[in-house]
Amino acid sequence: MSVSSKLCVPLLLLAACIRSQQPAPAIPPAPAPASPYFIAGADVSFLRDLESKGVVFKDQGQAHPGLEILRHHGYNWVRLRIMNEPTPLPNTLAYTLAEAKAAKAMGFRLLLDFHYSDDWADPAHQKTPAAWAHLPHEQLTKAVFDFSRSVITAFREQGTMPDMVQVGNEITSGMMWPDGKLPDRWPQFAELVTAGVRGVEAGKGDQPRPLIMIHIDQGGNEEVTKWFFDNLIVNHVPFDVIGQSYYPWWQGSLKDLKNNLAFMAERYKKPIIVVETAYDWHQGEEFKAGKPPFPETPEGQAEFLATLVVVVKATPNGLGKGVFWWEPMAEGAIEKRGMFDAQHEALPVIDVFDPPANPAPKAASKSDDPVHR
């Protein structure tokens, strides 16, 4: 890792020993609103499914709903993915609406992540939903618009309008293959993304339009980032926020990320969010550089997140706006990247955003929204 140890500021003010010595109080209500704030986000798309199956999460030995634990520790945004007809994944419209209702009731802001697929969408997998698989391009574009509009309409009618919407997930290589596959089909890809943006606009009714994020998986790669966003702009795709994935075993060092954040801030002058990140609390990843930049331990995991926050906050012109941890409540093969151990007890990483280090947001308004500050 080429980032010096100077980046590790003492964000973790309460050490793990303090956690173990103090009795566990009942989790209080969310802290009083304050501003400004940094987006402390978590993708909790599996959480409702796990809790419905009887999984109970604990903080200092006390059982609490997962969202309540995150809120208590300073998290102010959640990210939820939506798929078309997922099997066996749970992320249907009905499921995601229920998740959103619970999160909004606790004061979280919401980032909705459209996959436009029946399964995982990422740079290696961008499969067109089965119901759309044989549509010609014009009809596929209309299907994207109609689906986006109907989903946003459902959220609006429930009273849980997303505050931000991702049109596609890690779309560096396009989406809805083969029609929107990159690098060969930029015009078709741009029309599909724009149809999603237009669908969000059409579904919002008289509500403020959610911010539009475009999300790729190149946190540490300036060259590919430039290629993608330069082409996106040339093709007149409208967006408000840049989202990047940054997993250090795949996307380079924190120095690579820092350099790319500075490049994006200077070239595109838009808010930037590290919208997916994680780190293992026990050994499990193969790093390109060979040696992990932090120990793969509970303490090393917490140090990674604290350092990452410093790097993002240091983005020029204040354009580094936040970080989302991908699936803090994780099970199975990805459990090692979660924020809870095998007994579902919170790990030290949960403390990084503890209030007052990260004040809660006021009621949503453009003037108070961190991406507009």
Side-chain angles (χ1 to χ4, degrees), residues 113-149:
D113 175 15
F114 279 95
H115 276 230
Y116 299 111
S117 182
D118 298 332
D119 204 342
W120 296 109
D122 57 47
H125 310 89
Q126 293 284 347
K127 189 174 181 181
T128 301
W132 301 350
H134 302 294
L135 296 178
H137 175 71
E138 287 188 5
Q139 291 182 31
L140 181 59
T141 302
K142 184 178 185 304
V144 171
F145 171 84
D146 290 344
F147 178 72
S148 304
R149 178 180 59 186

Side-chain angles (χ1 to χ4, degrees), residues 339-368:
M339 291 186 171
F340 295 78
D341 65 18
Q343 288 72 48
H344 307 112
E345 176 67 44
L347 294 165
V349 68
I350 203 79
D351 294 332
V352 170
F353 290 116
D354 273 10
N358 200 50
K362 295 179 182 178
S365 71
K366 182 168 286 191
S367 62
D368 184 52

Side-chain angles (χ1 to χ4, degrees), residues 39-52:
I39 292 177
D43 189 315
V44 293
S45 300
F46 278 138
L47 176 58
R48 185 176 182 84
D49 184 56
L50 291 172
E51 291 184 328
S52 72

Side-chain angles (χ1 to χ4, degrees), residues 24-30 59 62-65 68-73 106:
I27 289 184
D59 187 20
Q62 296 281 325
H64 298 282
E68 192 174 300
I69 294 173
L70 291 172
R71 196 75 177 108
H72 176 60
H73 284 283
M106 295 190 66

Side-chain angles (χ1 to χ4, degrees), residues 100-243:
K101 188 173 184 179
K104 285 279 192 173
M106 295 190 66
F108 287 99
R109 293 188 184 178
L110 172 61
L111 168 57
L112 184 64
D113 175 15
F114 279 95
H115 276 230
Y116 299 111
S117 182
D118 298 332
D119 204 342
W120 296 109
D122 57 47
H125 310 89
Q126 293 284 347
K127 189 174 181 181
T128 301
W132 301 350
H134 302 294
L135 296 178
H137 175 71
E138 287 188 5
Q139 291 182 31
L140 181 59
T141 302
K142 184 178 185 304
V144 171
F145 171 84
D146 290 344
F147 178 72
S148 304
R149 178 180 59 186
S150 67
V151 167
I152 296 301
T153 298
F155 276 82
R156 172 174 55 81
E157 290 177 346
Q158 181 178 250
T160 55
M161 271 292 287
D163 301 279
M164 193 182 307
V165 172
Q166 271 184 238
V167 179
N169 188 77
E170 292 189 329
I171 54 175
T172 319
S173 54
M175 64 183 188
M176 286 172 277
W177 295 348
D179 192 74
K181 190 169 186 178
L182 298 180
D184 297 328
R185 295 179 64 85
W186 265 104
Q188 294 85 353
F189 167 75
E191 288 176 358
L192 292 171
V193 177
T194 301
V197 176
R198 287 178 52 241
V200 173
E201 174 72 28
K204 74 177 184 62
D206 60 356
Q207 299 296 305
R209 177 180 62 76
L211 294 162
I212 300 296
M213 173 186 284
I214 299 296
H215 171 212
I216 65 172
D217 69 318
Q218 299 293 318
N221 192 321
E222 180 180 323
E223 181 180 0
V224 177
T225 296
K226 180 179 184 297
W227 167 80
F228 182 89
F229 281 101
D230 281 8
N231 275 289
L232 197 74
I233 291 166
V234 165
N235 282 276
H236 308 292
V237 176
F239 68 101
D240 304 303
V241 181
I242 294 173

